[in-house]
Amino acid sequence: MECFCCNNNSVQSLQSFHTNALNFIALYKTVADAYVSNFFVEDHWKKLPSSWKDVLCCMDTDELSDLLSVTSKHCRKVLPLSLLSFKSCTQTYSLGRSPVNLDSHKIKQTFQDNGRCDVMESNQSIPVPPVQLEVPDSLKSKHSVQDGQYLPMNQCFRKHIKPKKQHEILQLGKLISLLSQASGSKHVIDVGSGQGHLSRILTFGHSLKVTTVEASGCHAPKAAKFDKDMSYTIRSHLKRKLKESKTIDTTDETCAVDSIPLPNHVTCMIQPNTTPDDFLQVINSETSISNDDSLCQCPNHDPDDSLFRLQTCVKCNRKREISHLDKRLLLTGLHACGDLTPTILRVFARCDDIRGVASVGCCYMKISTKESASEDAGYPMSKFVSELPDHQLTYEAREMACHSLDVYRQRLLDNPPNLKLHCYRALLQELVLQKRPDFVFGATKLTIKKAEQMGFEKYAKIALDKLGLDCEIDSDMLKTLLSKLSNWKDVVAFYTIRLALAPVVETAILLDRMFYLQEQGISSYLIPVFDPSLSPRNFALVAYK
């Protein structure tokens, strides 16, 4: 369990590490760029060395799982040295994913040692949250997820949230709290906030002021409603708790909840070309969805009054006055999609009022790539990486980097029937292209319920119907396809080899973002904050000025 720091002392070694990682990816580019659905169509099996194929075709699924693990507990075969070297390199050029303990003295000391001395005193006034986020250790189960709930989290905060998100907001909330104390930033801007689940954790669990920024206008009304629901739930919880302890006067405790300012919700679209001044203008403007009843609630708004489609009230045009302390802003984004994460980092680096950032990215395949040296792209962000000869990462490689290695490793150990669906999908590809050679894949989402319980012929006919193609299958073609079903383990083995490269590609993308910040004179940390089996994109990029 460790975090990774990029500063003046470490940047050269990280750059050398990154260059080697890109060279390794380039060496296996044909594998990284190969979709498993094209396994038969493009004969992916021939892309692997003969010595690998000789042993992979004989390996059981539990043995294949060792290719995705640091250890080799299950493999009963003697692997070729070149395959062992491949596995070693995938481990070497991937950042460690085991989550850090954010409650440990070591991680807290890291923030304290590198925090701003001039703001430490001001943070002593942070109020104690009215309700603890986590249940006591004595009540924690050895199983973190049970009956659709993440048990370590206090049940007051679980409503409307799935276990994965419960885990994420609990952990990221802790990290942001540490960052707040180190940077002196008590006002958090949550970009890409959705329905505001993280904002409520920060508000009620860490007593931080929060403004959310979300592009979809349908989320803000729900977020505001959930804010008030949680305030009521916590107030009721405190009254019940105090009543049980036979405390007569509950006024002081419930007033502590009432005095907490609820999050403000801004509906706007943040674009890659957003400037710091534009961003601050958005944050400093009141929104149509406000939890402050003293502010104008006028429903008349002009949807085109700014570049960001900010819903500003045109009746009173009321603006919030920001105090000097409020100008110490902190940016965060939980799985901000595509270019939104690079945009967050650029706004942070260019804006003096923003003191810290804690960003968790996702959807690497949706980030823009640099076609010219002048444009701001999602990858590469840094000058260092953009000048490397083989820095390009294809859409296929970036899409692969979003897949969960840890979850698939467990599937290989469990060997469920649905592993054969890799082969079903690859055979379907042959069938579809025979019927319509110009068919565009990806235009239709193909989901077939209980497919693992079907034979291939039934699966194929349902899939063809969903794709709008003729469901009849020529008998000779069907016979040819069925004869290939015995090769399903080869398909799984190839996918396993390809998936082993996923964390290397993700590492290359994340380090590029660190290099960009370092080029702006800002040191940064990559911290694995989530359990990767629950949340595969588990690295938070943290920096403060």
Side-chain angles (χ1 to χ4, degrees):
M1 295 186 295
E2 59 180 326
C3 58
F4 307 90
C5 179
C6 182
N7 56 27
N8 291 333
N9 296 325
S10 63
V11 64
Q12 287 188 346
S13 62
L14 285 176
Q15 288 175 341
S16 176
F17 175 89
H18 184 274
T19 302
N20 290 337
L22 286 179
N23 290 338
F24 176 67
I25 294 170
L27 189 63
Y28 293 96
K29 177 177 171 56
T30 56
V31 176
D33 294 348
Y35 281 129
V36 73
S37 56
N38 289 325
F39 182 83
F40 295 112
V41 172
E42 299 180 359
D43 197 5
H44 288 336
W45 194 239
K46 73 177 181 181
K47 297 176 181 178
L48 300 181
S50 297
S51 60
W52 293 21
K53 291 185 286 187
D54 290 343
V55 68
L56 289 172
C57 68
C58 302
M59 293 174 71
D60 292 329
T61 59
D62 65 324
E63 294 179 284
L64 288 173
S65 73
D66 278 358
L67 296 174
L68 305 179
S69 175
V70 177
T71 59
S72 297
K73 296 180 179 180
H74 305 93
C75 190
R76 298 172 290 278
K77 306 290 189 301
V78 178
L79 301 184
L81 288 177
S82 58
L83 183 54
L84 289 173
S85 177
F86 171 84
K87 175 187 173 180
S88 177
C89 286
T90 60
Q91 302 290 336
T92 298
Y93 296 123
S94 302
L95 300 178
R97 304 176 62 80
S98 297
V100 301
N101 179 5
L102 295 173
D103 296 315
S104 70
H105 174 74
K106 182 178 179 180
I107 191 72
K108 291 180 179 179
Q109 193 67 39
T110 298
F111 279 90
Q112 183 176 335
D113 291 345
N114 294 281
R116 291 171 56 89
C117 297
D118 60 319
V119 300
M120 289 300 179
E121 184 177 349
S122 66
N123 276 284
Q124 302 305 316
S125 62
I126 294 177
V128 177
V131 179
Q132 295 302 307
L133 281 167
E134 293 186 89
V135 299
D137 290 341
S138 60
L139 299 180
K140 289 183 180 179
S141 168
K142 65 177 182 179
H143 301 292
S144 60
V145 177
Q146 186 174 312
D147 298 327
Q149 297 293 316
Y150 183 67
L151 299 184
M153 175 179 276
N154 189 314
Q155 63 180 358
C156 291
F157 297 97
R158 297 184 203 158
K159 194 174 181 181
H160 309 297
I161 315 174
K162 294 181 179 180
K164 174 178 178 290
K165 181 71 76 174
Q166 292 172 5
H167 169 67
E168 290 168 350
I169 61 178
L170 178 63
Q171 294 300 105
L172 187 56
K174 291 180 183 179
L175 183 65
I176 292 171
S177 180
L178 292 173
L179 181 59
S180 170
Q181 295 175 54
S183 65
S185 308
K186 297 182 183 179
H187 185 178
V188 181
I189 313 300
D190 182 9
V191 182
S193 56
Q195 296 181 2
H197 300 308
L198 175 62
S199 68
R200 283 182 286 281
I201 288 290
L202 298 174
T203 297
F204 294 103
H206 296 285
S207 299
L208 293 169
K209 181 178 180 179
V210 184
T211 298
T212 71
V213 181
E214 168 60 40
S216 178
C218 66
H219 288 319
K222 290 183 180 179
K225 180 182 181 300
F226 292 163
D227 293 345
K228 293 176 181 178
D229 288 348
M230 180 167 287
S231 180
Y232 176 81
T233 298
I234 292 177
R235 189 186 301 110
S236 300
H237 170 81
L238 286 175
K239 286 183 178 180
R240 183 171 61 254
K241 179 181 176 182
L242 294 170
K243 184 177 180 180
E244 290 172 354
S245 63
K246 297 181 180 181
T247 302
I248 298 176
D249 187 5
T250 64
T251 304
D252 291 341
E253 294 291 342
T254 54
C255 281
V257 180
D258 295 334
S259 65
I260 296 176
L262 299 182
N264 286 316
H265 302 288
V266 176
T267 299
C268 66
M269 177 72 74
I270 303 298
Q271 302 284 7
N273 61 352
T274 298
T275 67
D277 288 342
D278 290 333
F279 184 79
L280 291 177
Q281 182 182 356
V282 170
I283 301 307
N284 294 346
S285 300
E286 277 303 340
T287 77
S288 59
I289 304 297
S290 174
N291 279 305
D292 188 342
D293 293 334
S294 67
L295 297 172
C296 175
Q297 300 298 311
C298 172
N300 301 315
H301 297 91
D302 180 359
D304 300 315
D305 69 326
S306 76
L307 173 65
F308 310 99
R309 296 186 281 116
L310 176 64
Q311 294 178 318
T312 304
C313 179
V314 296
K315 182 177 180 180
C316 69
N317 197 32
R318 187 165 182 172
K319 304 287 184 179
R320 264 189 306 122
E321 294 296 329
I322 302 277
S323 69
H324 174 71
L325 185 60
D326 281 338
K327 289 185 178 180
R328 288 174 174 166
L329 303 175
L330 190 157
L331 279 184
T332 190
L334 174 53
H335 290 148
C337 185
D339 277 344
L340 187 53
T341 292
T343 299
I344 289 172
L345 297 178
R346 287 192 173 98
V347 171
F348 160 68
R350 296 168 180 171
C351 184
D352 293 336
D353 287 345
I354 302 175
R355 299 294 182 85
V357 66
S359 177
V360 182
C362 74
C363 302
Y364 302 128
M365 67 284 192
K366 294 183 180 181
I367 58 179
S368 59
T369 54
K370 185 171 290 188
E371 301 297 336
S372 67
S374 60
E375 63 184 34
D376 285 342
Y379 176 86
M381 291 185 68
S382 68
K383 183 175 183 291
F384 168 78
V385 175
S386 65
E387 292 178 348
L388 294 175
D390 294 318
H391 70 265
Q392 297 87 353
L393 296 173
T394 63
Y395 178 94
E396 292 81 2
R398 287 181 280 116
E399 189 270 342
M400 173 189 66
C402 296
H403 292 192
S404 174
L405 181 147
D406 301 271
V407 171
Y408 195 74
R409 179 172 61 233
Q410 188 57 49
R411 285 182 63 191
L412 290 172
L413 289 172
D414 296 340
N415 191 18
N418 62 11
L419 281 178
K420 292 185 179 181
L421 294 182
H422 286 307
C423 190
Y424 276 22
R425 182 63 185 86
L427 292 173
L428 176 66
Q429 196 90 329
E430 280 198 88
L431 187 57
V432 170
L433 289 177
Q434 185 208 44
K435 289 179 174 289
R436 188 182 297 175
D438 62 345
F439 189 84
V440 178
F441 290 93
T444 304
K445 185 177 181 180
L446 188 61
T447 302
I448 301 176
K449 295 181 179 180
K450 299 181 180 179
E452 71 278 2
Q453 299 176 13
M454 303 177 186
F456 173 73
E457 183 176 4
K458 182 178 180 180
Y459 167 88
K461 288 183 175 181
I462 292 175
L464 290 172
D465 182 62
K466 284 181 174 288
L467 294 173
L469 300 175
D470 178 18
C471 298
E472 292 300 316
I473 305 175
D474 179 78
S475 59
D476 290 338
M477 180 65 175
L478 180 61
K479 184 177 180 181
T480 299
L481 294 175
L482 291 176
S483 68
K484 297 180 181 180
L485 276 176
S486 60
N487 297 326
W488 72 269
K489 283 189 178 180
D490 294 349
V491 184
V492 172
F494 181 84
Y495 182 76
T496 302
I497 292 292
R498 182 173 185 260
L499 190 60
L501 293 166
V504 184
V505 176
E506 182 180 32
T507 294
I509 294 171
L510 294 177
L511 287 180
D512 169 59
R513 294 172 179 179
M514 297 185 88
F515 297 154
Y516 165 78
L517 291 177
Q518 184 62 29
E519 289 169 359
Q520 313 311 308
I522 303 170
S523 299
S524 61
Y525 295 88
L526 271 175
I527 305 177
V529 291
F530 308 142
D531 180 345
S533 66
L534 288 175
S535 182
R537 309 280 65 75
N538 74 329
F539 282 101
L541 179 53
V542 178
Y544 45 93
K545 303 169 184 174

